[in-house]
């Protein structure tokens, strides 16, 4: 869990922001800087429907020499649902220090692999896995999706086991 001014959760490592600029780029930079492993799988909190298969696809697309692997959905790229190499941290710091806060602007497109939506869809990734909930309209769409996919029999089975 990365960020300053947030309540740490039991059982999760909390990494405070490593730069005074408050932005998504700061969160990504902080995660890479604090990583104990070369690769960091980033899933922003506003991607509630991400499934294991999509995360496996990101990991499976990794190749030596890349700085990252990112899905491309119908609406574009998803830099906060991606796999990054921690060696990207100095480049992100340069962008932060220069006030360039767009993650895409800090990335080297030549050393980034993209997983196109056409391939992800064929592999069974659902469109909802790339939903990024930022607005009240996005939240309403997600609630409607949950209501539409709710299975009352499944709910009955779960309550029988409690």
């Amino acid at each position: 869990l990365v960020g300053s001014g947030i309540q740490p959760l039991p059982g999760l490592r909390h990494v405070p922001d490593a730069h005074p600029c408050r932005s998504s780029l700061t969160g990504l930079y902080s995660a890479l800087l604090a990583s104990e492993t070369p690769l960091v799988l980033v899933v922003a909190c506003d991607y509630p429907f991400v499934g294991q298969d999509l995360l496996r696809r990101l990991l499976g697309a990794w190749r030596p020499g890349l700085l990252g692997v990112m899905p491309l959905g119908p609406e574009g790229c998803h830099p906060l649902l991606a796999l990054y190499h921690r060696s990207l941290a100095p480049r992100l710091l340069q962008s932060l220090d220069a006030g360039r806060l767009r993650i895409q602007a800090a990335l080297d497109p030549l050393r980034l692999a993209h997983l196109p939506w056409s391939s992800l869809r064929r592999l069974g990734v659902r469109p909802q896995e790339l939903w990024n909930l930022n607005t009240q309209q996005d939240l309403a769409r997600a609630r409607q999706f949950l209501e539409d996919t709710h299975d009352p029999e499944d709910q009955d089975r779960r309550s029988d086991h409690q």
Side-chain angles (χ1 to χ4, degrees), residues 27-145:
L28 177 55
Y29 168 69
S30 302
L32 293 176
L33 197 63
S35 178
E36 297 172 0
T37 63
L39 298 178
V40 177
L41 185 59
V42 175
V43 181
C45 64
D46 50 4
Y47 283 95
F49 302 119
V50 173
Q52 291 179 13
D53 285 342
L54 175 55
L55 300 179
R56 284 189 189 104
R57 300 288 178 209
L58 290 171
L59 291 165
W62 178 260
R63 299 293 176 263
L66 289 175
L67 291 177
V69 178
M70 181 185 312
L72 289 175
E75 294 89 30
C77 62
H78 294 269
L80 292 175
L81 174 57
L83 181 68
Y84 294 103
H85 195 277
R86 70 177 170 203
S87 65
L88 181 60
R91 179 184 216 118
L92 300 185
L93 179 59
Q94 288 175 342
S95 289
L96 284 165
D97 287 344
R100 293 187 309 269
L101 304 182
R102 285 185 31 88
I103 293 174
Q104 282 299 111
L107 299 176
D108 181 348
L110 299 177
R111 295 189 57 203
L112 201 67
H114 290 97
L115 301 180
W117 173 241
S118 57
S119 298
L120 292 171
R121 187 178 57 228
R122 275 194 311 275
L123 296 169
V125 173
R126 300 168 302 142
Q128 296 82 4
E129 293 185 61
L130 298 178
W131 283 1
N132 182 308
L133 308 185
N134 290 313
T135 66
Q136 289 298 321
Q137 183 179 355
D138 294 339
L139 183 58
R141 178 174 67 157
R143 286 184 174 144
Q144 187 63 53
F145 169 72

